[in-house]
Each structure stands twice: as C-alpha cells, then as structure tokens.
Amino acid sequence: MDGPATENDINGFTVLLVEDFTHLAFSCAIEPLRIANLLSGSQLYRWRLASENGTEATCSNGTRTLVDCGLDPVPAGDVLLILSGINVEKRISPGLLAYVRRERARGTKIGALCSGAFVLAKAGLLENRRATIHWQFHDGFEERFPDVRLVRSVFVPDSKYPTASGGTATADLMLHFIGEAHGADLALAVADQMLYTTARSAEAAQRYSLQSRYGLRNAHIVAAVRLMTDHMEEPMSPSEIAAKLGISTRQLERLFERYMKCSPKKFATDLRLERARNLLLQTELSATEIAHACGFASAGHFSRVYKSRFGVTPSRQRADGHDLG
C-alpha cells in the first residue's frame, strides 16, 4: 500500500450468526480480512458480529461466540453476511426475515454463507437470481425454492446477493472480495499466508467429478450415473440407459458389477433414496410428495424401500430430526 487507508478505503462486514452456524465457514470469513490488514499494514477491513439476541450465538459444534450487536442497521456501504448451518429453516424467525428485508430496502449488499441462501430465498431476495448453497442442502432447496437459479459452484459473486457454499468456499469468496477491492496480488498473499494454495474461481464445482468420487475410468459408467441423477423423478430403466449409451443392457450390467459391485437398478435406487433422505431432513414435504419427487410409485412402496435401506421408516427418520450440515 502507498499509505494508510482512509475511511473511504475501509471495507466493512457485518457477519450475522444464525444459531447452529458452521464454525469452519465463520473462520474462513473472518481470517482473510484479518490477514489482509496484517499484510497491508493498514486497516483495510473492519468487521463486527451480530446475532438475533444481540449477545451470543452457538455454532453446530457447541462453541458459543460473543457478538457485538443485535439486528442493528448495517453501516452505510458495508456488506451483511448471513452465516447459518444445520437446522437452518427452523432457525429462520419472522424477526430475522424482517431484518433482512429492511436491509434490502436500505440498499445493503447482503451475502449468504453455507446454508444462508435459505434465509435470502425465504426473504424473497433470490427469485430468478443465481445462487449457491452447500451441496447437502441442494435437494431440499431446489424443492423449496424452484424460482432460484441454483448452481453447484463454490461461490456466486452476485453484485447484490453473493453466496458461498460454506466451508473453505467461504475463503474463496472472501479472497474474491479482497482481489476486487485491493488487487490480485494482495489476495494471493493472503491465500499464501493461509497456506491455501488452491484458491478457486466462482466456476469451480463444489464436489469432485463423478470420475473422482467413484474412482471411475469408464466413460459408460460415468454417463449412466449422470443419466440416473438427471432423471430421478421419472427413472430410466437399465435398458433405456443402455440404449442411450449405445450398448446392450447386458453390457451395462456387467460394467456396474465390475466397477460399482452392484446392479444398475440397485445403484439408481440408492441414489433416489439418498435424495429422499435429504428431502425428509431438509423440507416439510409429505412422504407422498417426496415419493413422487424421487420416482417411487407410491408412498407405501417408498416407505418399504426406505426402511429396507436405512433401517427406519421415513416418518421415524423425520421424527428423529437428524439434520444434515
């Protein structure tokens, strides 16, 4: 830097901690700002922590964090970042939604980290806009907010409502902010200080490719899994998948037995059941609605198959309340 930062140079952030927020994302939001100040020798950034009760917030690992303020107006020109984690829909209160809407009316730039996109979407801020959320919340979010253009990127640098998918993706978004405001050299220096040598762009995917995730090297298997994933509501039969791939049904079955140690039908059913489990834990959809969304003929059939796979009925799974995050 050529000299000390002036008040106009300082970027401020208010990080609103929603109960059960994710501690990893919290650290990845604050530490890049601290390090940017340290490396520049100036106070480029200031931040304050907020919570609905104005005293503290508890994260999903049980740690309690003291905050600086309650739902007070965000200083002019500052960014409001909403950070939540598990049980997010249960933690969205009328007061929280009213606060977000007031800040939107004031022209505040409002971002969301981890599952925070739920808050923005429920407040009506994300309709027809691109946004991202942690991959474990995708199924529930898509069913709940079909008008949001949900993407599987690590972050979306929207000019009004930026979103990051949580975890270290939060650091990627903060490094993006730093680079925009103070140049790529400082952003890279901050990443180096964090020993973060794989800073990602907004286009990076949240999860490993199918090839990496399943250790696959066979193009037919990869294409088959993609077809299964894309057609969960109306599942394709193994013969239909094989025809799409230009191979015989028997060849498809042999490939699955070799690479996945199961039949194509079982693999597809397991994918649909995993999605059903996400919807049970993340939404208030009925068992009948979830059965339809996951390609099961009826709620009764869905319940039987679900219990066989997970050892509990869908109703018991929901009652147990083990949320994802």
Side-chain angles (χ1 to χ4, degrees), residues 26-54:
F26 171 63
S27 297
C28 288
I30 300 300
E31 283 302 290
L33 305 179
R34 181 190 67 81
I35 294 170
N37 287 350
L38 176 68
L39 295 180
S40 68
S42 303
Q43 189 188 4
L44 300 180
Y45 294 98
R46 62 172 181 264
W47 56 90
R48 62 177 190 161
L49 306 181
S51 71
E52 192 163 5
N53 65 26

Side-chain angles (χ1 to χ4, degrees), residues 96-110:
L96 176 57
L97 292 177
Y99 173 70
V100 170
R101 289 167 180 149
R102 285 198 304 271
E103 288 302 319
R104 173 184 59 180
R106 295 179 66 238
T108 301
K109 184 173 184 174
I110 308 174

Side-chain angles (χ1 to χ4, degrees), residues 8-273:
N8 290 333
D9 296 325
I10 297 173
N11 298 102
F13 289 86
T14 295
V15 183
L16 175 56
L17 304 177
V18 179
E19 287 295 297
D20 294 326
F21 69 92
T22 305
H23 204 272
L24 177 59
F26 171 63
S27 297
C28 288
I30 300 300
E31 283 302 290
L33 305 179
R34 181 190 67 81
I35 294 170
N37 287 350
L38 176 68
L39 295 180
S40 68
S42 303
Q43 189 188 4
L44 300 180
Y45 294 98
R46 62 172 181 264
W47 56 90
R48 62 177 190 161
L49 306 181
S51 71
E52 192 163 5
N53 65 26
T55 303
E56 64 179 20
T58 304
C59 71
S60 56
N61 66 18
T63 302
R64 293 181 178 180
T65 300
L66 298 178
V67 301
D68 304 300
C69 59
L71 301 183
D72 303 336
V74 174
D78 285 10
V79 179
L80 171 62
L81 295 177
I82 299 172
L83 172 56
S84 56
I86 62 174
N87 302 313
V88 58
E89 288 207 87
K90 299 176 184 176
R91 298 301 189 180
I92 302 176
S93 68
L96 176 57
L97 292 177
Y99 173 70
V100 170
R101 289 167 180 149
R102 285 198 304 271
E103 288 302 319
R104 173 184 59 180
R106 295 179 66 238
T108 301
K109 184 173 184 174
I110 308 174
L113 311 175
C114 194
S115 64
F118 264 105
V119 181
L120 299 192
K122 198 163 185 178
L125 276 60
L126 295 181
E127 187 171 346
N128 296 318
R129 301 187 81 98
R130 294 176 73 249
T132 190
I133 197 168
H134 191 282
W135 61 265
Q136 283 191 305
F137 296 98
H138 267 248
D139 292 331
F141 190 95
E142 285 179 327
E143 290 291 329
R144 183 76 171 77
F145 304 107
D147 292 332
V148 178
R149 294 160 55 196
L150 192 65
V151 298
R152 296 183 180 272
S153 304
V154 289
F155 69 90
V156 173
D158 188 273
S159 59
K160 292 183 69 175
Y161 309 118
T163 50
S165 54
T168 57
T170 303
D172 294 310
L173 177 61
M174 303 311 289
L175 290 169
H176 171 81
F177 287 152
I178 293 168
E180 274 196 327
H182 300 289
D185 287 346
L186 179 59
L188 289 172
V190 171
D192 282 343
Q193 189 74 15
M194 296 168 60
L195 302 182
Y196 192 53
T197 57
T198 56
R200 295 162 293 185
S201 70
E203 290 74 30
Q206 287 186 39
R207 302 185 74 182
Y208 289 120
S209 66
L210 289 172
Q211 292 95 324
S212 299
R213 198 182 317 156
Y214 296 113
L216 300 178
R217 295 295 180 266
N218 186 278
H220 288 319
I221 288 286
V222 173
V225 172
R226 187 167 290 113
L227 285 171
M228 293 172 181
T229 302
D230 292 343
H231 293 82
M232 287 198 185
E233 288 194 23
E234 297 181 359
M236 300 174 67
S237 68
S239 60
E240 290 173 322
I241 293 173
K244 277 278 189 181
L245 301 182
I247 61 177
S248 69
T249 303
R250 180 60 189 143
Q251 184 179 354
L252 180 68
E253 291 172 344
R254 285 198 298 266
L255 288 172
F256 266 83
E257 288 294 341
R258 176 181 176 183
Y259 289 100
M260 313 307 291
K261 310 304 179 186
C262 66
S263 68
K265 182 177 180 180
K266 182 181 186 307
F267 189 88
T269 299
D270 284 347
L271 284 178
R272 290 155 55 208
L273 286 170

